[in-house]
Amino acid sequence: MLLTVQWKDDSLILIDQTKLPTKLSYVYCKSYQDVAAAIKQMIVRGAPAIGVAAAFGLVLAARRSNSRNIGSLLKDLNKAYNLIRSTRPTAINLQWGLDRLMRKIQNIQSVSKVKQIMLDEAIQMAEEDIFINRSMGSIGEILFSDGDTIMTHCNAGSLATVAYGTALGVIRSAKESGKKIHVIATETRPVMQGSRLTAFELQYDNIDVSLIPDTAVGYVMTKGGIKHVIVGADRILHTGHVFNKIGTYQIAVLAKNHNIPFYVAAPLSSFDLKNDIDDIVIEERSKEEVTKIGKKNIAPTNIKVINPSFDITPPDLITSIITEKGIISPPYKTNIKIMMNTK
């Protein structure tokens, strides 16, 4: 199993996902600026993974600070917080990771104690992520039967988490339970997380996978072999609206039209009970992601580009939401609240 985020030798070590699938290499982050750059450049990506990486970014800010009093240290931490927070505005886990660490050190006056508490908490978050994903997998795999073909979009596996995965964690758990599962992975333009990451990861773990162009989703569904669709989430509102990789919404529409169950797998840390749709910023990424493949231009010079990183899938298109505490079914506005209040 790939370990995407790890702490070792006073550094944060990340799999460099921009180099996959041709090269499995690692980036060593020794400062919070390194972590912010890694998140911004999608060296590390996926909501749970960037949440934990962000927490370790604050740990690095604390450990590299020369402050001798708590007031000065907090100024350094707030500076790091704001930089890291600005890197990816849509995924709620990023802010969740930062806020969890800042809450943990409230009212502590010892600089050395703050530094140790932050490191301990970030390590615990990484360990929790794996446990949560395994719990989610064991809960969700009951939805799949032996021999099922399952479609997924983008990458919601080990590479999107510390390890194991959310949507792919459910698939992985189904395989571990003895079921024969075949996966249809979309390429996920324009950054190709499906072809570069999901296909790589599933092959790495000997899970049967076929890759299709994004434009083939409807056609493949008409052939009648797809039994389920499962995706991850970067943010889920209290209404059940799901923010996920661009292209998720249109797959959900097609699944509904073909009577294919559409599942979302996400930890409770991805839920946002405070905001509404209009409050959320959809990240707009570089036009070069669309106009180039590598260094090769594939579009006219100076063409205008719309390149949102995420879209919104409404709750009426979602069959169920799989979490580490259980499966949430409609009506989501009521049942999400109940699940979030469950101990």
Side-chain angles (χ1 to χ4, degrees):
M1 185 172 58
L2 295 165
L3 191 60
T4 303
V5 179
Q6 54 184 311
W7 179 263
K8 187 177 180 181
D9 297 332
D10 211 32
S11 298
L12 178 64
I13 306 172
L14 305 170
I15 291 178
D16 187 348
Q17 300 189 35
T18 66
K19 298 296 196 314
L20 293 171
T22 56
K23 184 179 180 182
L24 179 58
S25 61
Y26 295 84
V27 169
Y28 288 72
C29 298
K30 297 183 178 297
S31 68
Y32 74 85
Q33 293 93 338
D34 291 344
V35 176
I39 295 171
K40 184 70 174 177
Q41 296 166 17
M42 294 177 68
I43 288 169
V44 61
R45 30 72 47 206
I50 64 175
V52 175
F56 277 114
L58 277 187
V59 170
L60 286 168
R63 295 175 79 81
R64 301 294 183 264
S65 173
N66 294 319
S67 300
R68 296 186 177 183
N69 62 76
I70 196 67
S72 180
L73 177 61
L74 288 176
K75 286 182 181 178
D76 289 342
L77 290 177
N78 286 328
K79 183 179 178 181
Y81 177 106
N82 290 330
L83 176 65
I84 297 169
R85 177 68 186 88
S86 69
T87 55
R88 304 290 306 273
T90 307
I92 193 172
N93 296 66
L94 178 61
Q95 184 170 350
W96 166 82
L98 296 169
D99 288 346
R100 177 166 163 174
L101 251 65
M102 294 302 287
R103 285 196 302 270
K104 194 71 179 179
I105 61 170
Q106 281 183 347
N107 303 319
I108 296 174
Q109 298 302 313
S110 166
V111 168
S112 61
K113 191 172 182 181
V114 163
K115 293 180 178 183
Q116 189 59 51
I117 287 173
M118 292 180 74
L119 177 58
D120 292 344
E121 187 71 7
I123 291 172
Q124 182 177 331
M125 289 168 67
E127 293 170 349
E128 284 177 4
D129 183 76
I130 299 173
F131 176 80
I132 285 169
N133 291 335
R134 286 190 175 276
S135 298
M136 203 182 317
S138 63
I139 289 169
E141 65 93 5
I142 63 170
L143 298 170
F144 301 156
S145 299
D146 185 42
D148 279 353
T149 296
I150 302 162
M151 180 177 286
T152 192
H153 182 61
C154 195
N155 175 264
S158 294
L159 293 166
T161 62
V162 173
Y164 205 74
T166 55
L168 294 194
V170 178
I171 291 170
R172 187 170 278 113
S173 184
K175 186 196 175 189
E176 290 171 354
S177 72
K179 297 172 184 175
K180 293 182 180 179
I181 299 295
H182 177 63
V183 179
I184 302 291
T186 61
E187 59 182 348
T188 320
R189 284 276 298 154
V191 189
M192 314 301 284
Q193 293 98 324
S195 60
R196 291 190 306 103
L197 306 180
T198 296
F200 167 83
E201 179 178 331
L202 293 178
Q203 277 198 336
Y204 185 91
D205 285 341
N206 296 312
I207 296 174
D208 188 29
V209 57
S210 297
L211 182 67
I212 64 169
D214 293 340
T215 47
V217 169
Y219 171 77
V220 172
M221 286 183 176
T222 65
K223 307 308 286 184
I226 307 298
K227 297 299 183 183
H228 314 274
V229 177
I230 187 166
V231 300
D234 289 86
R235 185 187 296 250
I236 302 174
L237 300 186
H238 62 100
T239 54
H241 288 82
V242 170
F243 290 72
N244 196 51
K245 181 55 57 184
I246 191 73
T248 302
Y249 169 58
Q250 60 207 41
I251 294 173
V253 170
L254 286 164
K256 184 83 167 183
N257 190 61
H258 291 87
N259 297 311
I260 299 170
F262 184 93
Y263 303 114
V264 176
L268 294 178
S269 59
S270 294
F271 284 73
D272 178 356
L273 303 188
K274 297 179 180 179
N275 292 299
D276 295 310
I277 290 176
D278 293 340
D279 299 322
I280 310 305
V281 176
I282 296 290
E283 178 184 357
E284 185 80 19
R285 293 191 60 83
S286 165
K287 71 176 185 178
E288 282 75 23
E289 290 181 351
V290 178
T291 61
K292 292 184 177 183
I293 294 180
K295 295 182 179 180
K296 181 178 177 60
N297 288 313
I298 58 169
T301 303
N302 297 324
I303 189 71
K304 290 187 287 186
V305 171
I306 301 171
N307 184 24
S309 191
F310 304 96
D311 60 23
I312 308 165
T313 301
D316 60 293
L317 299 179
I318 299 167
T319 306
S320 300
I321 302 173
I322 304 162
T323 77
E324 70 270 29
K325 286 188 178 180
I327 297 173
I328 307 174
S329 300
Y332 291 113
K333 197 166 186 178
T334 298
N335 290 335
I336 286 173
K337 185 176 182 181
I338 291 171
M339 183 65 74
M340 295 297 286
N341 289 330
T342 301
K343 298 294 185 183

